[in-house]
């Protein structure tokens, strides 16, 4: 099982980006999926999380600006980021709780995608 994150890049303050995270492999089921970020010199923090039932939760710092969503048929999660600020600059990681065929639930991480907000 692998998670592949994509969509990062350089954007000006006030701009938008859409991140994607695709899960692949021998997947029986995916439960919660989430985005985390780690800025230079800081600890990794939760940005947003979504359950299979589409319940969502956001960090206070991104509420009203970021939207998390998922396409269960494609085993893919998205993060629409609007009104980006320099403080949003970080490496963004996706995480998912996945049950592979013939195995138990495991937490998987994607490789990270860099988002830089700068003029």
């Amino acid at each position: 099982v692998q998670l592949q994150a994509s969509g990062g890049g350089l954007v000006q303050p006030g701009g938008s980006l859409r991140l994607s995270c695709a899960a692949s492999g021998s997947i029986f089921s995916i439960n919660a999926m989430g985005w985390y970020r780690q800025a230079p010199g800081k600890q990794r923090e939760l940005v947003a999380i979504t359950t299979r039932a589409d319940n969502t939760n956001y960090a206070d710092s991104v509420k009203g600006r970021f939207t998390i969503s998922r396409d269960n048929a494609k085993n893919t999660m998205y993060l629409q980021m609007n009104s980006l600020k320099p403080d949003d600059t970080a490496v963004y990681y996706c995480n998912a709780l996945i049950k592979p065929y013939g195995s138990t639930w495991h937490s998987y991480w994607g490789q990270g995608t860099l988002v830089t907000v700068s003029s």
Side-chain angles (χ1 to χ4, degrees), residues 8-119:
L10 174 63
V11 63
Q12 291 187 343
S16 298
L17 279 176
R18 189 191 194 210
L19 305 183
S20 299
C21 175
S24 62
S26 183
I27 297 171
F28 176 75
S29 183
I30 301 177
N31 197 330
M33 301 183 80
W35 288 98
Y36 294 74
R37 67 186 181 186
Q38 187 167 18
K42 295 186 177 180
Q43 290 187 333
R44 190 174 297 189
E45 62 175 359
L46 174 67
V47 176
I49 192 167
T50 178
T51 67
R52 189 169 182 86
D54 284 335
N55 296 312
T56 59
N57 195 24
Y58 296 90
D60 288 343
S61 59
V62 306
K63 282 181 181 177
R65 301 188 297 121
F66 291 9
T67 302
I68 190 171
S69 62
R70 61 193 284 174
D71 184 334
N72 291 326
K74 295 182 179 180
N75 290 337
T76 300
M77 171 180 63
Y78 306 96
L79 185 68
Q80 178 65 44
M81 305 185 295
N82 298 328
S83 302
L84 283 161
K85 306 174 181 179
D87 283 349
D88 296 318
T89 295
V91 177
Y92 284 69
Y93 298 91
C94 57
N95 174 268
L97 188 61
I98 297 174
K99 187 180 188 306
Y101 281 101
S103 184
T104 58
W105 292 96
H106 293 282
S107 176
Y108 293 87
W109 289 92
Q111 85 285 7
T113 184
L114 177 62
V115 172
T116 303
V117 184
S118 176
S119 55

